[in-house]
Amino acid sequence: MKFMVYNVRDDEIPFVEKWGKDHHIEVKTTTTTLNTTTIQDAAGYDGVSGLQTIPYSQLLFAEFKKLGIHYLALRNVGVDNVDLQAASDNDVLVTNVPAYSPESIAEFAVTMALFLTRKVGYMQRQLMEQHKFHFAPEFMGRLISDQTVGIIGTGRIGRHAISMFRGLGAKVIAYDKYPVKETNGEFAYVKDLHELVSQSDIISLHMPATADNFHLFNHELFEMMKDNAILINTARGSIVDTQDLIFALESGEIAAAGIDTLENESADLQDSRSTKKLTDPDVIKLSMMPNVIITPHSAFHTSESVKNMVSISLNNLKDLVAGQKPDDLVN
């Protein structure tokens, strides 16, 4: 067996190398994005591991078939950027890593909420832009324990977020098309999304991207939110209409936003060696707002997550080549 690992980051390399040595399997790494051109470098390999937010297209899977490669193991959860039908049509089995560390993402969402409720961005702006360092009335924040937190999506990550917000004393309500049966009294489901949005002081998104929730958070929904509300998105960028979010922040429809993922993310976002300067006008505009924290799709990024993403992905490849059916098969 031998595997090719694309989009590898520097922090992943030690875990990849250790896995290869432990399992006596040749594993080659490359920092390049997986596309119809770079897939040629995997000729002669038994399987491919990938991590990217840009599409895995029909044309790419056609190249897989030409090269006789039948296995793609993602190192992430989301498959919304994967043409799964094209993968199946070209005899490519795809796996993901559905739970590499849900605590990591949930913890980051809570971190963003604390940053924004305590007005840390305003303190930083005073210091960095005005070179002043003193108390100001506009720094007055709110206690999490005085607020209602709305969680959208009560899967693994959402339930960890609920537990953490509850630990800070918040009242938690939730909405999910497929609610869990047992809430253990930690939170209450509301009947629909509009009810959650109108009641919540903090809204944290924890659902996958689907065709049904594209731009779910748009001008109409922002108007329903409280004017002191905070939106946290550590899920998928396509769920939020970026232009409508910027308008909502500038007009005061909502108070603040924590954004870890944006729509139309580029390949450079996951390239730790990139030297390109930021040019996206939306990211620049959001980054200049003291009531916004924006990060480069990094909520997952802990040592525990990286280790699990690498090892689970490569274990899935090993099982597939051995003729076994991994639990993480998605097509």
Side-chain angles (χ1 to χ4, degrees):
M1 290 187 197
K2 58 179 184 178
F3 303 141
M4 175 72 85
V5 181
Y6 284 84
N7 291 89
V8 72
R9 301 186 313 265
D10 291 343
D11 55 286
E12 293 180 299
I13 291 174
F15 296 107
V16 174
E17 291 177 345
K18 183 179 187 305
W19 188 93
K21 289 178 181 177
D22 289 347
H23 293 84
H24 308 288
I25 293 175
E26 179 185 343
V27 186
K28 183 178 179 181
T29 61
T30 176
T31 60
T32 57
T33 299
L34 181 55
N35 57 43
T36 54
T37 300
T38 60
I39 186 60
Q40 307 305 320
D41 296 333
Y45 284 78
D46 298 297
V48 165
S49 171
L51 174 66
Q52 61 193 50
T53 57
I54 64 174
Y56 297 84
S57 66
Q58 187 276 333
L59 292 175
L60 174 61
F61 288 117
E63 293 300 319
F64 266 73
K65 187 171 185 178
K66 289 179 184 177
L67 293 171
I69 300 172
H70 300 289
Y71 310 115
L72 169 63
L74 306 179
R75 301 195 299 281
N76 56 283
V77 180
V79 295
D80 52 290
N81 59 325
V82 183
D83 189 335
L84 292 175
Q85 185 60 56
S88 298
D89 291 344
N90 287 282
D91 303 319
V92 179
L93 295 177
V94 181
T95 62
N96 69 344
V97 183
Y100 42 81
S101 178
E103 302 94 331
S104 297
I105 297 172
E107 187 177 278
F108 199 80
V110 175
T111 298
M112 284 183 152
L114 287 166
F115 179 101
L116 294 165
T117 55
R118 295 307 302 270
K119 302 290 188 72
V120 177
Y122 291 87
M123 302 177 198
Q124 289 188 322
R125 182 170 70 171
Q126 184 204 65
L127 178 61
M128 302 301 293
E129 295 183 8
Q130 303 174 27
H131 304 294
K132 296 178 181 179
F133 188 60
H134 56 73
F135 169 86
E138 66 193 47
F139 297 165
M140 185 172 67
R142 294 176 285 162
L143 289 173
I144 296 288
S145 58
D146 286 341
Q147 298 179 70
T148 296
V149 176
I151 302 292
I152 304 178
T154 53
R156 294 181 182 93
I157 299 169
R159 291 199 300 274
H160 277 290
I162 288 169
S163 179
M164 292 177 188
F165 278 116
R166 283 270 297 171
L168 292 168
K171 173 186 175 182
V172 180
I173 58 176
Y175 175 74
D176 196 312
K177 283 188 174 181
Y178 308 100
V180 297
K181 293 181 179 179
E182 292 294 333
T183 66
N184 298 319
E186 290 189 340
F187 65 99
Y189 282 110
V190 294
K191 63 181 180 181
D192 57 40
L193 184 61
H194 292 170
E195 184 177 349
L196 181 139
V197 164
S198 63
Q199 292 183 23
S200 299
D201 302 295
I202 298 170
I203 297 170
S204 193
L205 309 183
H206 299 289
M207 72 278 219
T210 65
D212 290 341
N213 64 30
F214 178 76
H215 284 183
L216 177 66
F217 274 76
N218 55 24
H219 181 62
E220 179 183 355
L221 215 54
F222 288 128
E223 282 190 319
M224 295 181 187
M225 292 170 63
K226 295 182 178 182
D227 59 9
N228 69 342
I230 295 170
L231 177 67
I232 308 293
N233 186 10
T234 56
R236 276 290 187 260
S238 62
I239 298 168
V240 178
D241 185 315
T242 305
Q243 296 304 314
D244 286 0
L245 171 65
I246 291 172
F247 178 84
L249 290 163
E250 291 180 331
S251 65
E253 283 182 346
I254 66 172
I259 304 298
D260 184 55
T261 175
L262 284 162
E263 49 186 336
N264 304 316
E265 291 176 345
S266 69
D268 289 323
L269 196 67
Q270 291 295 326
D271 183 0
S272 60
R273 300 182 183 185
S274 175
T275 58
K276 291 185 179 179
K277 299 295 184 181
L278 175 63
T279 58
D280 188 315
D282 292 337
V283 177
I284 292 171
K285 182 174 287 189
L286 288 164
S287 72
M288 299 296 288
M289 298 181 183
N291 56 339
V292 172
I293 179 169
I294 183 166
T295 51
H297 214 131
S298 300
F300 75 94
H301 200 211
T302 63
S303 57
E304 181 70 13
S305 287
V306 175
K307 178 182 72 175
N308 290 340
M309 292 166 75
V310 168
S311 61
I312 294 172
S313 170
L314 293 175
N315 284 337
N316 284 337
L317 281 180
K318 180 170 68 71
D319 289 346
L320 286 167
V321 174
Q324 300 175 20
K325 185 178 180 180
D327 292 337
D328 305 326
L329 198 63
V330 295
N331 72 326

